[in-house]
């Protein structure tokens, strides 16, 4: 996988050396920006949301730990690059992925980058499993993927789901959640619960149905007062839940 990286180092010559080494010896590294101070480093991190930050420890008006303390919920990995070995314990306490000593050893640099890449690949694989609209281990809950992570929702809170092309609108008591998954996807995800596909556009929580109105397909009224059409082809499946 590609790694988006930021360099934070106050010495221009040291930045140039590291930049050249990364370009020449480390594959799939996208250098998104550089900073010479804590403020410049913070600005680059906020702008680019990197996977990896290379940090010199000692900088003007502070150090690397001052920078990290300003990002308590960071999602990037950190590789310290320094001429001083006395900061190793502090780096460990700040969850550094690697600690490189200057002058930089190329083999160690490659090893450090590969180590971070392995961490990120494992994280992405795990997120790929979790960021699905799928029941989770806690009984009666489902995960809904979102841009910044996922939301855990009680299945019983869902009144109905409505198709919107490749999106699904999930209707709760007081709000609607839009998820970039098809209605067919949710039909499969919720098959172990009492949900019925009553129409090409609707998947309803049978527990919320309070009335069925006759017709070729008919319609259902939910406990929130919402009335939804039932297609003729789905009528039998719906009524089977009430036999």
């Amino acid at each position: 996988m590609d790694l988006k990286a930021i360099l934070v180092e106050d010495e221009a010559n040291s930045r140039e050396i590291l930049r050249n080494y990364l370009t020449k010896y480390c594959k799939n590294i996208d250098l998104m920006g550089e900073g010479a101070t804590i403020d410049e480093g913070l600005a680059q991190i906020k702008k680019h949301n990197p996977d990896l930050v290379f940090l010199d420890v000692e900088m003007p008006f502070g150090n690397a730990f001052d920078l990290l303390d300003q990002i308590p919920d960071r999602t990037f990995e950190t590789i310290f690059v320094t001429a001083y070995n006395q900061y190793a314990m502090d780096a460990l306490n700040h969850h550094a992925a690697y600690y490189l000593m200057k002058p930089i050893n190329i083999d160690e640099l490659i090893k450090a980058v590969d180590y971070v890449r392995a961490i990120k690949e494992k994280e992405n694989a795990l997120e790929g499993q979790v960021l699905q609209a799928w029941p989770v281990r806690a009984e009666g809950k489902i995960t809904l993927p979102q841009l910044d992570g996922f939301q855990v929702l009680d299945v019983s809170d869902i009144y109905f789901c409505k198709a919107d092309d490749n999106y699904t609108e999930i209707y709760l008591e007081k709000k609607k959640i839009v998820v970039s998954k098809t209605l067919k996807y949710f039909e499969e995800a919720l098959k172990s619960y009492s949900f019925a596909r009553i129409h090409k556009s609707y998947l309803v929580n049978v527990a919320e149905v309070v009335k069925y109105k006759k017709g070729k397909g008919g319609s259902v009224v939910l406990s929130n007062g919402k009335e939804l059409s039932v297609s003729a082809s789905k009528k039998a499946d719906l009524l089977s839940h009430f036999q």
Side-chain angles (χ1 to χ4, degrees):
M1 65 173 289
D2 290 347
L3 292 175
K4 295 188 298 180
I6 300 292
L7 310 184
V8 185
E9 160 70 66
D10 65 314
E11 296 181 2
N13 184 59
S14 295
R15 289 199 306 274
E16 182 179 5
I17 291 172
L18 181 54
R19 184 191 317 123
N20 290 339
Y21 280 0
L22 289 170
T23 301
K24 185 174 182 179
Y25 298 108
C26 298
K27 297 179 180 179
N28 304 111
I29 288 281
D30 294 329
L31 295 177
M32 308 300 294
E34 300 180 9
T37 65
I38 291 174
D39 289 342
E40 289 179 6
L42 284 171
Q44 290 295 319
I45 289 168
K46 291 177 180 178
K47 179 179 179 180
H48 296 291
N49 188 28
D51 302 302
L52 169 60
V53 175
F54 291 90
L55 269 180
D56 185 19
V57 175
E58 294 193 345
M59 288 180 284
F61 311 110
N63 59 37
F65 308 114
D66 297 322
L67 184 154
L68 293 176
D69 287 341
Q70 295 184 58
I71 314 175
D73 298 321
R74 58 185 181 270
T75 58
F76 57 85
E77 296 295 329
T78 306
I79 294 178
F80 281 91
V81 185
T82 179
Y84 307 96
N85 59 16
Q86 66 263 34
Y87 296 111
M89 184 58 68
D90 285 332
L92 181 64
N93 290 335
H94 281 76
H95 307 290
Y98 219 92
Y99 195 90
L100 290 175
M101 294 293 297
K102 296 178 182 178
I104 297 173
N105 178 284
I106 294 173
D107 288 336
E108 280 297 305
L109 175 63
I110 295 171
K111 184 178 178 181
V113 171
D114 286 345
Y115 181 71
V116 170
R117 194 188 315 279
I119 292 174
K120 285 297 180 180
E121 286 176 346
K122 288 180 180 178
E123 287 180 358
N124 289 346
L126 179 59
E127 288 179 357
Q129 295 173 17
V130 174
L131 294 183
Q132 306 289 328
W134 214 253
V136 294
R137 289 181 180 177
E139 182 65 27
K141 295 184 181 293
I142 192 172
T143 59
L144 303 180
Q146 298 178 331
L147 290 177
D148 60 349
F150 65 91
Q151 179 177 351
V152 180
L153 187 67
D154 286 324
V155 171
S156 60
D157 289 340
I158 301 173
Y159 282 82
F160 69 97
C161 304
K162 180 181 178 182
D164 183 12
D165 292 327
N166 290 323
Y167 292 83
T168 297
E169 299 173 352
I170 299 177
Y171 287 83
L172 310 177
E173 183 177 4
K174 295 182 179 180
K175 67 177 180 178
K176 174 181 72 174
I177 302 173
V178 180
V179 182
S180 58
K181 296 291 183 182
T182 64
L183 188 61
K184 178 66 177 177
Y185 191 90
F186 279 96
E187 184 179 8
E188 180 68 17
L190 295 167
K191 66 182 180 180
S192 60
Y193 300 98
S194 295
F195 279 75
R197 185 75 176 263
I198 63 169
H199 189 278
K200 67 178 181 179
S201 298
Y202 299 119
L203 178 70
V204 301
N205 184 348
V206 175
E208 298 297 336
V209 174
V210 297
K211 186 176 183 179
Y212 170 74
K213 294 184 179 180
K214 291 182 178 180
K216 184 176 181 181
S219 64
V220 292
V221 179
L222 304 182
S223 62
N224 62 355
K226 182 71 174 180
E227 184 171 351
L228 304 174
S229 297
V230 179
S231 65
S233 62
K234 301 294 185 181
K235 179 178 179 179
D237 180 53
L238 169 67
L239 295 180
S240 70
H241 287 271
F242 298 96
Q243 293 176 347

